[in-house]
Amino acid sequence: MTTQQPVEPVAAIVVAAGSGVRLGGGEPKALRLLGGESLVRHSVRAMVAGGCSRVVVVVAAGMEDRFAADLSDFPVTVVAGGKERQESVAAGLAALDPEPPFVLVHDAARPLVPVEVVDRVIEAVEDGATAVIPVIPVVDSIRQVTGEGSAVVDRAALRAVQTPQGFETAVLKLAHAHVAEQGIAVTDDAAACEALGREVVLVAGDVASMKITNPHDLALAAALAEQLAGANPS
Ligand SMILES: Nc1ccn([C@@H]2O[C@H](COP(=O)(O)OP(=O)(O)OP(=O)(O)O)[C@@H](O)[C@H]2O)c(=O)n1
Ligand SMILES: C[C@](O)(CO)[C@H](O)COP(=O)(O)O
Protein backbone atom coordinates (compact mmCIF):
# COMPACT_ATOMS: atom_id res chain seq x y z
CA MET A 1 0.00 0.00 0.00
CA THR A 2 1.37 3.45 -0.88
CA THR A 3 0.83 6.40 1.42
CA GLN A 4 -0.18 9.48 -0.53
CA GLN A 5 1.31 12.78 0.62
CA PRO A 6 -1.49 15.26 1.29
CA VAL A 7 -1.40 18.16 -1.19
CA GLU A 8 -2.21 21.41 0.56
CA PRO A 9 -4.96 23.30 -1.30
CA VAL A 10 -3.29 26.71 -1.57
CA ALA A 11 0.39 27.52 -2.04
CA ALA A 12 1.87 30.97 -2.62
CA ILE A 13 4.52 32.45 -4.88
CA VAL A 14 6.08 35.64 -3.51
CA VAL A 15 7.98 37.45 -6.25
CA ALA A 16 10.99 39.27 -4.82
CA ALA A 17 13.43 39.30 -7.76
CA GLY A 18 12.97 42.97 -8.66
CA SER A 19 15.93 45.26 -8.21
CA GLY A 20 14.05 48.26 -6.86
CA VAL A 21 15.70 50.87 -9.08
CA ARG A 22 13.00 53.42 -8.26
CA LEU A 23 13.46 52.91 -4.51
CA GLY A 24 17.25 53.09 -4.80
CA GLY A 25 19.57 52.24 -1.95
CA GLY A 26 21.67 49.44 -3.48
CA GLU A 27 20.16 46.56 -1.47
CA PRO A 28 17.52 44.30 -3.16
CA LYS A 29 14.20 46.01 -2.44
CA ALA A 30 12.61 42.95 -0.82
CA LEU A 31 15.39 42.87 1.81
CA ARG A 32 14.87 46.52 2.81
CA LEU A 33 13.53 46.89 6.33
CA LEU A 34 10.10 48.07 7.43
CA GLY A 35 9.59 48.23 11.20
CA GLY A 36 12.75 46.15 11.73
CA GLU A 37 11.81 43.33 9.31
CA SER A 38 12.42 42.85 5.61
CA LEU A 39 9.61 43.50 3.14
CA VAL A 40 9.79 39.86 2.03
CA ARG A 41 9.33 38.60 5.61
CA HIS A 42 6.20 40.73 6.02
CA SER A 43 4.83 39.40 2.72
CA VAL A 44 5.59 35.73 3.43
CA ARG A 45 4.06 36.06 6.91
CA ALA A 46 0.82 37.42 5.38
CA MET A 47 0.59 34.42 3.01
CA VAL A 48 1.18 31.97 5.87
CA ALA A 49 -1.35 33.78 8.07
CA GLY A 50 -3.88 33.42 5.24
CA GLY A 51 -3.41 29.64 5.26
CA CYS A 52 -0.69 28.98 2.65
CA SER A 53 1.41 26.17 4.07
CA ARG A 54 4.02 26.35 1.30
CA VAL A 55 5.59 29.51 -0.15
CA VAL A 56 7.96 29.72 -3.12
CA VAL A 57 10.01 32.93 -2.91
CA VAL A 58 11.50 34.07 -6.22
CA VAL A 59 14.67 36.16 -5.94
CA ALA A 60 17.38 37.57 -8.17
CA ALA A 61 19.92 34.94 -9.27
CA GLY A 62 22.82 34.87 -6.84
CA MET A 63 20.72 36.16 -3.89
CA GLU A 64 19.22 32.79 -2.93
CA ASP A 65 21.37 32.26 0.20
CA ARG A 66 20.68 35.72 1.61
CA PHE A 67 16.94 35.33 1.21
CA ALA A 68 16.97 31.75 2.56
CA ALA A 69 18.81 33.00 5.67
CA ASP A 70 16.38 35.89 6.14
CA LEU A 71 13.39 33.51 5.85
CA SER A 72 14.84 30.49 7.67
CA ASP A 73 11.92 30.31 10.14
CA PHE A 74 9.25 30.16 7.39
CA PRO A 75 8.13 27.18 5.21
CA VAL A 76 9.74 28.56 2.04
CA THR A 77 11.58 27.34 -1.04
CA VAL A 78 13.81 30.02 -2.60
CA VAL A 79 14.38 29.97 -6.37
CA ALA A 80 15.95 32.31 -8.93
CA GLY A 81 13.70 34.52 -11.06
CA GLY A 82 14.12 36.37 -14.34
CA LYS A 83 14.58 39.81 -15.84
CA GLU A 84 10.85 40.60 -16.02
CA ARG A 85 8.20 39.97 -13.36
CA GLN A 86 6.36 37.49 -15.56
CA GLU A 87 9.54 35.39 -15.93
CA SER A 88 9.89 35.38 -12.14
CA VAL A 89 6.30 34.18 -11.70
CA ALA A 90 6.91 31.45 -14.31
CA ALA A 91 10.01 30.33 -12.35
CA GLY A 92 7.91 30.17 -9.18
CA LEU A 93 5.26 28.09 -10.93
CA ALA A 94 7.89 25.67 -12.20
CA ALA A 95 9.06 25.14 -8.61
CA LEU A 96 5.60 24.13 -7.33
CA ASP A 97 6.00 20.39 -7.05
CA PRO A 98 3.65 18.71 -6.21
CA GLU A 99 1.26 21.09 -7.94
CA PRO A 100 -1.41 22.45 -5.58
CA PRO A 101 -4.93 23.03 -6.96
CA PHE A 102 -4.75 26.77 -6.17
CA VAL A 103 -1.94 29.30 -6.04
CA LEU A 104 -1.60 32.89 -4.88
CA VAL A 105 0.94 35.22 -6.51
CA HIS A 106 2.02 38.09 -4.29
CA ASP A 107 4.50 40.96 -4.65
CA ALA A 108 7.13 41.07 -1.90
CA ALA A 109 6.80 44.81 -2.48
CA ARG A 110 3.30 44.77 -0.88
CA PRO A 111 4.33 43.92 2.70
CA LEU A 112 1.29 45.24 4.55
CA VAL A 113 -1.45 43.27 2.81
CA PRO A 114 -4.08 42.54 5.48
CA VAL A 115 -4.91 38.88 6.06
CA GLU A 116 -8.57 39.69 5.30
CA VAL A 117 -7.58 40.40 1.68
CA VAL A 118 -5.69 37.09 1.44
CA ASP A 119 -8.78 35.35 2.89
CA ARG A 120 -11.11 36.98 0.33
CA VAL A 121 -8.91 35.89 -2.59
CA ILE A 122 -8.63 32.31 -1.31
CA GLU A 123 -12.37 32.09 -0.67
CA ALA A 124 -13.13 33.22 -4.23
CA VAL A 125 -10.80 30.67 -5.89
CA GLU A 126 -12.06 27.91 -3.62
CA ASP A 127 -15.61 28.91 -4.62
CA GLY A 128 -14.76 28.24 -8.28
CA ALA A 129 -13.26 31.42 -9.76
CA THR A 130 -10.34 30.71 -12.11
CA ALA A 131 -8.54 34.04 -11.60
CA VAL A 132 -9.13 36.47 -8.71
CA ILE A 133 -7.64 39.91 -8.13
CA PRO A 134 -7.99 42.38 -5.25
CA VAL A 135 -8.73 45.93 -6.39
CA ILE A 136 -9.35 49.36 -4.85
CA PRO A 137 -11.14 52.39 -6.27
CA VAL A 138 -9.03 55.13 -7.85
CA VAL A 139 -9.17 58.27 -5.71
CA ASP A 140 -7.42 60.82 -7.93
CA SER A 141 -9.03 62.54 -10.91
CA ILE A 142 -7.62 60.88 -14.01
CA ARG A 143 -6.69 62.37 -17.39
CA GLN A 144 -5.61 60.59 -20.54
CA VAL A 145 -2.88 62.38 -22.42
CA THR A 146 -3.61 62.48 -26.15
CA GLY A 147 -1.60 63.77 -29.11
CA GLU A 148 -3.38 67.15 -28.92
CA GLY A 149 -3.79 67.62 -25.18
CA SER A 150 -5.59 65.61 -22.54
CA ALA A 151 -9.07 64.36 -21.68
CA VAL A 152 -10.89 63.49 -18.47
CA VAL A 153 -11.39 59.76 -17.83
CA ASP A 154 -14.37 58.72 -15.67
CA ARG A 155 -12.68 57.27 -12.61
CA ALA A 156 -15.90 55.69 -11.32
CA ALA A 157 -15.26 52.71 -13.57
CA LEU A 158 -11.54 52.40 -12.75
CA ARG A 159 -9.88 50.15 -10.19
CA ALA A 160 -6.23 49.87 -9.12
CA VAL A 161 -4.98 46.27 -9.12
CA GLN A 162 -3.18 44.72 -6.15
CA THR A 163 -1.84 41.33 -5.09
CA PRO A 164 -2.14 38.56 -3.96
CA GLN A 165 -3.90 37.35 -7.06
CA GLY A 166 -5.38 33.84 -6.84
CA PHE A 167 -5.61 31.18 -9.53
CA GLU A 168 -6.34 27.61 -10.44
CA THR A 169 -2.72 26.55 -10.71
CA ALA A 170 -3.15 24.58 -13.94
CA VAL A 171 -4.79 27.58 -15.66
CA LEU A 172 -2.08 30.00 -14.51
CA LYS A 173 0.60 27.64 -15.85
CA LEU A 174 -1.17 27.47 -19.23
CA ALA A 175 -1.57 31.28 -19.23
CA HIS A 176 2.13 31.87 -18.57
CA ALA A 177 3.13 29.38 -21.27
CA HIS A 178 0.73 31.16 -23.67
CA VAL A 179 2.05 34.71 -23.07
CA ALA A 180 5.67 33.48 -23.26
CA GLU A 181 5.01 31.66 -26.55
CA GLN A 182 3.13 34.59 -28.08
CA GLY A 183 5.57 37.21 -26.79
CA ILE A 184 2.79 39.04 -24.90
CA ALA A 185 4.07 41.31 -22.12
CA VAL A 186 1.81 41.51 -19.05
CA THR A 187 2.26 43.45 -15.82
CA ASP A 188 0.22 41.03 -13.73
CA ASP A 189 -0.93 37.42 -13.78
CA ALA A 190 -4.62 38.12 -14.22
CA ALA A 191 -3.75 39.75 -17.56
CA ALA A 192 -1.98 36.52 -18.60
CA CYS A 193 -5.18 34.56 -17.80
CA GLU A 194 -7.25 37.09 -19.75
CA ALA A 195 -4.94 36.63 -22.74
CA LEU A 196 -6.02 32.99 -22.58
CA GLY A 197 -9.69 34.06 -22.61
CA ARG A 198 -10.36 33.39 -18.92
CA GLU A 199 -12.65 35.56 -16.79
CA VAL A 200 -11.12 37.58 -13.96
CA VAL A 201 -13.12 38.00 -10.72
CA LEU A 202 -12.57 41.11 -8.57
CA VAL A 203 -12.62 41.20 -4.77
CA ALA A 204 -12.02 44.14 -2.44
CA GLY A 205 -8.38 45.01 -1.85
CA ASP A 206 -7.12 47.42 0.81
CA VAL A 207 -5.16 50.68 0.79
CA ALA A 208 -2.73 49.11 3.30
CA SER A 209 -1.62 46.75 0.53
CA MET A 210 0.21 49.62 -1.19
CA LYS A 211 3.22 48.73 -3.36
CA ILE A 212 6.56 50.05 -2.14
CA THR A 213 7.93 51.66 -5.29
CA ASN A 214 9.45 55.08 -4.49
CA PRO A 215 11.39 56.22 -1.40
CA HIS A 216 8.39 58.06 0.06
CA ASP A 217 6.35 54.80 -0.05
CA LEU A 218 8.69 53.26 2.51
CA ALA A 219 8.16 56.20 4.87
CA LEU A 220 4.37 56.02 4.38
CA ALA A 221 4.34 52.25 4.95
CA ALA A 222 6.39 52.64 8.13
CA ALA A 223 3.84 55.10 9.51
CA LEU A 224 1.00 52.81 8.47
CA ALA A 225 2.66 49.76 10.05
CA GLU A 226 3.03 51.65 13.33
CA GLN A 227 -0.62 52.70 13.25
CA LEU A 228 -1.76 49.13 12.47
CA ALA A 229 0.39 47.72 15.29
CA GLY A 230 -1.19 50.25 17.68
CA ALA A 231 -4.67 49.22 16.57
CA ASN A 232 -3.90 45.44 16.91
CA PRO A 233 -1.37 45.03 19.75
CA SER A 234 -0.12 41.39 19.97
N1 LIG B 1 12.16 40.69 -12.70
C1 LIG B 1 11.34 40.90 -11.68
C2 LIG B 1 10.73 42.18 -11.50
C3 LIG B 1 9.88 42.33 -10.40
N2 LIG B 1 9.68 41.31 -9.53
C4 LIG B 1 8.84 41.51 -8.35
O1 LIG B 1 7.57 42.01 -8.72
C5 LIG B 1 7.06 42.86 -7.72
C6 LIG B 1 6.61 44.18 -8.35
O2 LIG B 1 7.74 44.80 -8.96
P1 LIG B 1 8.07 46.32 -8.71
O3 LIG B 1 8.20 46.53 -7.26
O4 LIG B 1 7.11 47.17 -9.41
O5 LIG B 1 9.41 46.41 -9.50
P2 LIG B 1 10.96 46.32 -9.11
O6 LIG B 1 11.63 45.70 -10.27
O7 LIG B 1 11.16 45.61 -7.80
O8 LIG B 1 11.33 47.84 -8.93
P3 LIG B 1 11.92 48.85 -10.03
O9 LIG B 1 11.04 48.73 -11.25
O10 LIG B 1 11.84 50.18 -9.36
O11 LIG B 1 13.34 48.40 -10.31
C7 LIG B 1 8.18 43.07 -6.68
O12 LIG B 1 7.89 42.33 -5.51
C8 LIG B 1 9.40 42.58 -7.41
O13 LIG B 1 10.39 42.00 -6.55
C9 LIG B 1 10.29 40.08 -9.74
O14 LIG B 1 10.10 39.17 -8.93
N3 LIG B 1 11.09 39.89 -10.83
C1 LIG C 1 1.24 43.08 -10.06
C2 LIG C 1 1.11 44.53 -9.71
O1 LIG C 1 1.53 44.76 -8.39
C3 LIG C 1 -0.34 44.95 -9.79
O2 LIG C 1 -0.48 46.28 -9.46
C4 LIG C 1 1.91 45.40 -10.63
O3 LIG C 1 1.41 45.33 -11.92
C5 LIG C 1 3.37 45.07 -10.63
O4 LIG C 1 4.11 46.24 -10.76
P1 LIG C 1 5.01 46.62 -12.01
O5 LIG C 1 5.63 47.94 -11.60
O6 LIG C 1 4.12 46.78 -13.20
O7 LIG C 1 6.00 45.50 -12.13
Side-chain angles (χ1 to χ4, degrees), residues 27-39 41-42 70 218 222:
E27 189 76 345
K29 179 161 76 176
L31 290 177
R32 294 285 294 273
L33 299 184
L34 173 63
E37 273 203 316
S38 64
L39 301 187
R41 281 184 65 84
H42 284 282
D70 187 50
L218 208 45

PDB file of all heavy atoms in Angstrom, residues 27-39 41-42 70 218 222:
ATOM      1  N   GLU A  27      20.665  47.856  -1.954  1.00  0.00           N
ATOM      2  CA  GLU A  27      20.159  46.559  -1.472  1.00  0.00           C
ATOM      3  C   GLU A  27      18.956  46.088  -2.300  1.00  0.00           C
ATOM      4  O   GLU A  27      18.169  46.930  -2.756  1.00  0.00           O
ATOM      5  CB  GLU A  27      19.721  46.827  -0.020  1.00  0.00           C
ATOM      6  CG  GLU A  27      19.352  45.628   0.797  1.00  0.00           C
ATOM      7  CD  GLU A  27      20.556  44.835   1.272  1.00  0.00           C
ATOM      8  OE1 GLU A  27      21.672  45.035   0.760  1.00  0.00           O
ATOM      9  OE2 GLU A  27      20.341  43.983   2.145  1.00  0.00           O
ATOM     10  N   PRO A  28      18.767  44.740  -2.504  1.00  0.00           N
ATOM     11  CA  PRO A  28      17.524  44.303  -3.165  1.00  0.00           C
ATOM     12  C   PRO A  28      16.316  44.830  -2.374  1.00  0.00           C
ATOM     13  O   PRO A  28      16.302  44.769  -1.144  1.00  0.00           O
ATOM     14  CB  PRO A  28      17.585  42.772  -3.070  1.00  0.00           C
ATOM     15  CG  PRO A  28      19.004  42.431  -2.839  1.00  0.00           C
ATOM     16  CD  PRO A  28      19.629  43.607  -2.138  1.00  0.00           C
ATOM     17  N   LYS A  29      15.325  45.355  -3.120  1.00  0.00           N
ATOM     18  CA  LYS A  29      14.199  46.015  -2.442  1.00  0.00           C
ATOM     19  C   LYS A  29      13.536  45.118  -1.397  1.00  0.00           C
ATOM     20  O   LYS A  29      13.190  45.577  -0.301  1.00  0.00           O
ATOM     21  CB  LYS A  29      13.172  46.467  -3.488  1.00  0.00           C
ATOM     22  CG  LYS A  29      11.959  47.139  -2.889  1.00  0.00           C
ATOM     23  CD  LYS A  29      11.201  47.960  -3.897  1.00  0.00           C
ATOM     24  CE  LYS A  29      10.381  47.170  -4.851  1.00  0.00           C
ATOM     25  NZ  LYS A  29       9.592  48.037  -5.747  1.00  0.00           N
ATOM     26  N   ALA A  30      13.362  43.829  -1.723  1.00  0.00           N
ATOM     27  CA  ALA A  30      12.614  42.946  -0.818  1.00  0.00           C
ATOM     28  C   ALA A  30      13.342  42.698   0.503  1.00  0.00           C
ATOM     29  O   ALA A  30      12.733  42.216   1.462  1.00  0.00           O
ATOM     30  CB  ALA A  30      12.329  41.623  -1.518  1.00  0.00           C
ATOM     31  N   LEU A  31      14.649  43.022   0.549  1.00  0.00           N
ATOM     32  CA  LEU A  31      15.388  42.868   1.815  1.00  0.00           C
ATOM     33  C   LEU A  31      15.452  44.172   2.605  1.00  0.00           C
ATOM     34  O   LEU A  31      16.008  44.206   3.703  1.00  0.00           O
ATOM     35  CB  LEU A  31      16.808  42.336   1.548  1.00  0.00           C
ATOM     36  CG  LEU A  31      16.879  40.875   1.080  1.00  0.00           C
ATOM     37  CD1 LEU A  31      18.323  40.478   0.770  1.00  0.00           C
ATOM     38  CD2 LEU A  31      16.292  39.923   2.135  1.00  0.00           C
ATOM     39  N   ARG A  32      14.894  45.244   2.055  1.00  0.00           N
ATOM     40  CA  ARG A  32      14.872  46.520   2.811  1.00  0.00           C
ATOM     41  C   ARG A  32      13.933  46.362   4.009  1.00  0.00           C
ATOM     42  O   ARG A  32      12.964  45.605   3.964  1.00  0.00           O
ATOM     43  CB  ARG A  32      14.383  47.661   1.899  1.00  0.00           C
ATOM     44  CG  ARG A  32      15.333  47.973   0.762  1.00  0.00           C
ATOM     45  CD  ARG A  32      16.579  48.728   1.214  1.00  0.00           C
ATOM     46  NE  ARG A  32      16.259  50.057   1.697  1.00  0.00           N
ATOM     47  CZ  ARG A  32      16.162  51.152   0.919  1.00  0.00           C
ATOM     48  NH1 ARG A  32      16.366  51.062  -0.387  1.00  0.00           N
ATOM     49  NH2 ARG A  32      15.890  52.329   1.455  1.00  0.00           N
ATOM     50  N   LEU A  33      14.268  47.080   5.081  1.00  0.00           N
ATOM     51  CA  LEU A  33      13.528  46.888   6.333  1.00  0.00           C
ATOM     52  C   LEU A  33      12.335  47.827   6.473  1.00  0.00           C
ATOM     53  O   LEU A  33      12.393  48.991   6.057  1.00  0.00           O
ATOM     54  CB  LEU A  33      14.462  47.093   7.531  1.00  0.00           C
ATOM     55  CG  LEU A  33      15.658  46.147   7.629  1.00  0.00           C
ATOM     56  CD1 LEU A  33      16.442  46.410   8.920  1.00  0.00           C
ATOM     57  CD2 LEU A  33      15.228  44.678   7.567  1.00  0.00           C
ATOM     58  N   LEU A  34      11.293  47.291   7.082  1.00  0.00           N
ATOM     59  CA  LEU A  34      10.102  48.067   7.427  1.00  0.00           C
ATOM     60  C   LEU A  34       9.755  47.651   8.853  1.00  0.00           C
ATOM     61  O   LEU A  34       9.455  46.470   9.093  1.00  0.00           O
ATOM     62  CB  LEU A  34       8.967  47.701   6.459  1.00  0.00           C
ATOM     63  CG  LEU A  34       7.593  48.268   6.756  1.00  0.00           C
ATOM     64  CD1 LEU A  34       7.603  49.787   6.685  1.00  0.00           C
ATOM     65  CD2 LEU A  34       6.581  47.705   5.760  1.00  0.00           C
ATOM     66  N   GLY A  35       9.852  48.581   9.801  1.00  0.00           N
ATOM     67  CA  GLY A  35       9.593  48.226  11.199  1.00  0.00           C
ATOM     68  C   GLY A  35      10.507  47.109  11.682  1.00  0.00           C
ATOM     69  O   GLY A  35      10.064  46.224  12.417  1.00  0.00           O
ATOM     70  N   GLY A  36      11.775  47.117  11.219  1.00  0.00           N
ATOM     71  CA  GLY A  36      12.751  46.145  11.727  1.00  0.00           C
ATOM     72  C   GLY A  36      12.763  44.812  11.003  1.00  0.00           C
ATOM     73  O   GLY A  36      13.579  43.941  11.313  1.00  0.00           O
ATOM     74  N   GLU A  37      11.848  44.608  10.037  1.00  0.00           N
ATOM     75  CA  GLU A  37      11.813  43.335   9.310  1.00  0.00           C
ATOM     76  C   GLU A  37      11.800  43.593   7.820  1.00  0.00           C
ATOM     77  O   GLU A  37      11.247  44.605   7.361  1.00  0.00           O
ATOM     78  CB  GLU A  37      10.529  42.580   9.656  1.00  0.00           C
ATOM     79  CG  GLU A  37      10.667  41.720  10.890  1.00  0.00           C
ATOM     80  CD  GLU A  37       9.635  40.594  10.876  1.00  0.00           C
ATOM     81  OE1 GLU A  37       8.469  40.878  10.550  1.00  0.00           O
ATOM     82  OE2 GLU A  37      10.006  39.465  11.162  1.00  0.00           O
ATOM     83  N   SER A  38      12.366  42.642   7.060  1.00  0.00           N
ATOM     84  CA  SER A  38      12.423  42.846   5.608  1.00  0.00           C
ATOM     85  C   SER A  38      11.020  42.831   4.996  1.00  0.00           C
ATOM     86  O   SER A  38      10.095  42.203   5.533  1.00  0.00           O
ATOM     87  CB  SER A  38      13.272  41.746   4.971  1.00  0.00           C
ATOM     88  OG  SER A  38      12.645  40.500   5.177  1.00  0.00           O
ATOM     89  N   LEU A  39      10.904  43.497   3.857  1.00  0.00           N
ATOM     90  CA  LEU A  39       9.613  43.501   3.144  1.00  0.00           C
ATOM     91  C   LEU A  39       9.183  42.068   2.830  1.00  0.00           C
ATOM     92  O   LEU A  39       8.008  41.719   2.955  1.00  0.00           O
ATOM     93  CB  LEU A  39       9.734  44.295   1.829  1.00  0.00           C
ATOM     94  CG  LEU A  39      10.158  45.757   1.916  1.00  0.00           C
ATOM     95  CD1 LEU A  39      10.042  46.414   0.538  1.00  0.00           C
ATOM     96  CD2 LEU A  39       9.312  46.530   2.927  1.00  0.00           C
ATOM     97  N   ARG A  41       9.836  39.302   4.421  1.00  0.00           N
ATOM     98  CA  ARG A  41       9.334  38.602   5.612  1.00  0.00           C
ATOM     99  C   ARG A  41       7.884  38.998   5.900  1.00  0.00           C
ATOM    100  O   ARG A  41       7.046  38.155   6.202  1.00  0.00           O
ATOM    101  CB  ARG A  41      10.206  38.899   6.840  1.00  0.00           C
ATOM    102  CG  ARG A  41      11.496  38.108   6.897  1.00  0.00           C
ATOM    103  CD  ARG A  41      12.265  38.392   8.193  1.00  0.00           C
ATOM    104  NE  ARG A  41      11.551  37.950   9.392  1.00  0.00           N
ATOM    105  CZ  ARG A  41      11.571  36.721   9.887  1.00  0.00           C
ATOM    106  NH1 ARG A  41      12.282  35.777   9.274  1.00  0.00           N
ATOM    107  NH2 ARG A  41      10.896  36.416  10.977  1.00  0.00           N
ATOM    108  N   HIS A  42       7.584  40.298   5.796  1.00  0.00           N
ATOM    109  CA  HIS A  42       6.200  40.732   6.015  1.00  0.00           C
ATOM    110  C   HIS A  42       5.267  40.020   5.023  1.00  0.00           C
ATOM    111  O   HIS A  42       4.191  39.558   5.389  1.00  0.00           O
ATOM    112  CB  HIS A  42       6.071  42.244   5.783  1.00  0.00           C
ATOM    113  CG  HIS A  42       6.620  43.094   6.897  1.00  0.00           C
ATOM    114  ND1 HIS A  42       5.953  43.314   8.075  1.00  0.00           N
ATOM    115  CD2 HIS A  42       7.774  43.805   6.989  1.00  0.00           C
ATOM    116  CE1 HIS A  42       6.658  44.123   8.850  1.00  0.00           C
ATOM    117  NE2 HIS A  42       7.774  44.438   8.211  1.00  0.00           N
ATOM    118  N   ASP A  70      17.346  34.931   5.591  1.00  0.00           N
ATOM    119  CA  ASP A  70      16.381  35.892   6.143  1.00  0.00           C
ATOM    120  C   ASP A  70      15.053  35.215   6.482  1.00  0.00           C
ATOM    121  O   ASP A  70      14.347  35.637   7.399  1.00  0.00           O
ATOM    122  CB  ASP A  70      16.163  37.024   5.116  1.00  0.00           C
ATOM    123  CG  ASP A  70      15.311  38.155   5.681  1.00  0.00           C
ATOM    124  OD1 ASP A  70      15.627  38.621   6.798  1.00  0.00           O
ATOM    125  OD2 ASP A  70      14.336  38.564   5.023  1.00  0.00           O
ATOM    126  N   LEU A 218       8.151  53.957   1.351  1.00  0.00           N
ATOM    127  CA  LEU A 218       8.693  53.263   2.514  1.00  0.00           C
ATOM    128  C   LEU A 218       8.370  54.048   3.792  1.00  0.00           C
ATOM    129  O   LEU A 218       8.002  53.470   4.814  1.00  0.00           O
ATOM    130  CB  LEU A 218      10.204  53.100   2.333  1.00  0.00           C
ATOM    131  CG  LEU A 218      10.897  51.924   3.010  1.00  0.00           C
ATOM    132  CD1 LEU A 218      10.151  50.615   2.841  1.00  0.00           C
ATOM    133  CD2 LEU A 218      12.326  51.791   2.482  1.00  0.00           C
ATOM    134  N   ALA A 222       5.905  52.741   6.751  1.00  0.00           N
ATOM    135  CA  ALA A 222       6.391  52.642   8.134  1.00  0.00           C
ATOM    136  C   ALA A 222       5.375  53.286   9.079  1.00  0.00           C
ATOM    137  O   ALA A 222       5.056  52.736  10.144  1.00  0.00           O
ATOM    138  CB  ALA A 222       7.755  53.305   8.259  1.00  0.00           C
TER     139      ALA A 222
END
